[in-house]
Amino acid sequence: MLKSMTGFGRCERVTSEYKISVEIKAVNHRYLDLGLRMPKKFNYFEAAIRTLLKTYIQRGKVDVYINYEDYTEGNLCLKYNPSMAAEYMDYCRKMAQEFGIPNDITVSRLAQFPEVLTMEQVPDDEEHLWELLSDALKEAAGSFVQSRELEGEQLKADLLGKLDYMSTLVDFIEERSPEILKEYRSRLEDKVKELLATAAIDDNRIAAEVIIYADKICVDEEMVRLRSHINATRAELMKGESVGRKLDFIAQEMNREANTILSKSTDVAIADTAIALKTEIEKVREQIQNLE
């Protein structure tokens, strides 16, 4: 489906151990600019996060916010250091022998010595943590893509309407162009009659002048290319997918053809229509900037 480059997605995962929330926001950008804001604990997963998100997003300035609460911070474990305990006992025996006093060390007393028993934080299970984080990222990215698709369909409908209007402008120019030649020939004949009065008019000379004039104002090639670009744009919109860059290029070509038509025009009606055509093409280009 056609996607807009602006979108929003959010997901929150809560367990007895962790609370992870992910927010994804995006605006227009020529390429994919992915910014991550997350706790330092997740820096280890940065490459994996970027790889995952690139499967959902191709273009746009995307900001990803990851918040994290650890409910296991109070989970401590008691650790026994036997080598330290043995060293304490060895020195106590030596002191008892050296000073001739009884060795009255008990287990409870030994346990109170520094570094014999210590409290340590339970290490994080990185595999389990990534499983929770990746699930939250996938759901947020899915919601993000859905919002992009919804806006993309609205852009598609608007662009198709503009293309239909552009087609009517092209139709008018094609219908009006032959009339210009007829009017030019009529004006030319009237002018020659006025100048020559009763003298005979050379039809061949008149025809030659009309041909020269027709060659100067002929926009047949431009009209064919312009109609082709309109049809190509419509086809790409119906196809969907990531078409923003391609459509931007086609819109530039349409603008070039409209400029040529305007520069060749000597008729007020066609000039006004060409200006309306350029205005509509500019509107299409602005909308295309919003497509992925």
Side-chain angles (χ1 to χ4, degrees), residues 9-10 14 19 22 30 32-33 37 44 47 55 92 159 163 166 176 187 195 198 220 230 240 246 253 260 290:
R10 189 178 191 281
V14 181
K19 177 183 177 181
V22 177
R30 190 173 181 182
L32 176 59
D33 181 7
R37 293 169 176 79
Y44 175 78
T55 62
C92 286
L159 284 168
L163 292 174
M166 288 168 58
R176 175 64 182 158
R187 290 196 306 271
L195 293 173
T198 59
D220 290 350
I230 291 173
K246 185 174 183 179
E253 294 300 309
T260 304
N290 296 318

Side-chain angles (χ1 to χ4, degrees), residues 9-13 20 22 24 48-49 51-53 55-57 64 66 130-146:
R10 189 178 191 281
C11 177
E12 187 173 274
R13 283 280 187 272
I20 298 175
V22 177
I24 304 176
I49 292 171
T51 300
L52 188 153
L53 291 176
T55 62
Y56 292 88
I57 310 165
V64 181
I66 301 175
W130 170 245
E131 182 180 349
L132 292 174
L133 177 58
S134 61
D135 283 348
L137 285 167
K138 289 175 183 177
E139 186 170 332
S143 174
F144 171 79
V145 170
Q146 189 176 14

Side-chain angles (χ1 to χ4, degrees), residues 76-86 88 106-120:
L76 302 174
C77 65
L78 187 64
K79 186 173 181 181
Y80 167 55
N81 189 336
S83 60
M84 184 63 70
Y88 276 125
T106 62
V107 173
S108 58
R109 182 74 182 92
L110 181 62
Q112 296 175 13
F113 287 175
E115 303 300 324
V116 174
L117 295 178
T118 56
M119 300 294 290
E120 294 187 357

Side-chain angles (χ1 to χ4, degrees), residues 85-97:
E87 193 169 349
Y88 276 125
M89 287 300 297
D90 184 50
Y91 278 112
C92 286
R93 282 193 296 269
K94 287 181 179 179
M95 286 189 293
Q97 292 173 2

Side-chain angles (χ1 to χ4, degrees), residues 218-232:
C218 180
V219 292
D220 290 350
E221 292 183 8
E222 289 80 7
M223 298 304 293
V224 169
R225 287 195 292 267
L226 185 53
R227 192 177 292 280
S228 174
H229 294 327
I230 291 173
N231 292 335

